[in-house]
Amino acid sequence: NATSKLAFFGDAGLGLVQSVESYDRNELFAGHSTHEEYATGVVLRLGVGLAADVAPRWRVLLAPLAMDLMIGPKFSGWMPTLGVAYRL
């Protein structure tokens, strides 16, 4: 018997990130240029979301307000997250 339970949650974490940063641009006098580099850095993740238990072992997660602040790579981002979790 699966009962649907809803819960709000907060998410915070610190981790390691490996990213590929690339760009492709047309410049007026320099012509066409491309660049690609690999970057390793530290990421701080902060998020708020909603979790729903849809079955005894299955949970659906939605975090529409999630921010990844990266130190090392040349960008940080707003990363809304949708996920499914299975409990053993």
Side-chain angles (χ1 to χ4, degrees):
N1 185 358
T3 59
S4 181
K5 292 184 180 181
L6 294 176
F8 288 100
F9 69 90
D11 179 28
L14 185 64
L16 189 63
V17 63
Q18 173 70 43
S19 69
V20 178
E21 300 172 4
S22 64
Y23 67 82
D24 183 4
R25 70 174 112 171
N26 291 316
E27 299 171 10
L28 184 59
F29 296 108
H32 182 80
S33 64
T34 60
H35 180 73
E36 182 174 288
E37 72 180 73
Y38 295 90
T40 303
V42 176
V43 62
L44 171 64
R45 178 175 173 81
L46 302 169
V48 177
L50 183 68
D53 290 332
V54 294
R57 293 182 178 231
W58 289 95
R59 175 178 287 171
V60 176
L61 305 160
L62 173 64
L65 301 174
M67 181 70 182
D68 291 343
L69 303 169
M70 298 185 197
I71 301 168
K74 296 178 180 140
F75 68 92
S76 291
W78 169 66
M79 308 239 181
T81 305
L82 176 65
V84 177
Y86 180 77
R87 291 180 290 248
L88 297 176

